[in-house]
């Protein structure tokens, strides 16, 4: 793929994260994160696997986090209510 003159390459988006188990701090690419959007705050969260200890981490995602993650290209699953 050739570059377009006058256009610079965009750096991949990285998100800062921390593991609650081992307390490691690191940066993750959009591909390392998953976002689930549910009908309530309790069912809206993002998740990742800690690259240091391998723990599956799940954290709540408020409106601002949802906006940042979706804007950064994180894969999103929309959860639907069965009611």
């Amino acid at each position: 793929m050739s570059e377009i003159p006058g256009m610079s390459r965009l750096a991949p988006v990285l998100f800062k994260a921390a593991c609650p188990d081992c307390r490691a701090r690191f940066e993750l690419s959009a591909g390392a994160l998953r976002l689930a959007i549910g009908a309530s705050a309790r069912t809206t969260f993002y998740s990742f696997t800690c690259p240091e200890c391998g723990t599956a981490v799940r954290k709540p995602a408020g409106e601002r986090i949802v906006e940042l993650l979706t804007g950064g290209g994180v894969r999103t699953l929309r959860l639907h209510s069965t009611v």
Side-chain angles (χ1 to χ4, degrees):
M1 183 183 287
S2 62
E3 290 190 38
I4 299 170
M7 299 284 291
S8 62
R9 282 194 164 166
L10 295 176
V13 176
L14 294 176
F15 298 93
K16 291 183 180 187
C19 177
D21 282 0
C22 72
R23 303 220 184 264
R25 295 186 173 278
F26 39 82
E27 292 183 337
L28 297 171
S29 68
L33 293 155
R34 300 291 176 272
L35 173 64
I37 300 175
S40 70
R42 219 175 85 189
T43 58
T44 300
F45 59 91
Y46 65 99
S47 61
F48 59 90
T49 300
C50 175
E52 298 293 321
C53 70
T55 298
V57 178
R58 177 176 161 163
K59 295 189 175 187
E63 289 181 32
R64 181 70 177 137
I65 297 295
V66 169
E67 184 181 316
L68 290 170
L69 294 178
T70 55
V74 172
R75 284 182 267 179
T76 303
L77 172 66
R78 296 196 183 270
L79 307 174
H80 297 283
S81 173
T82 57
V83 177

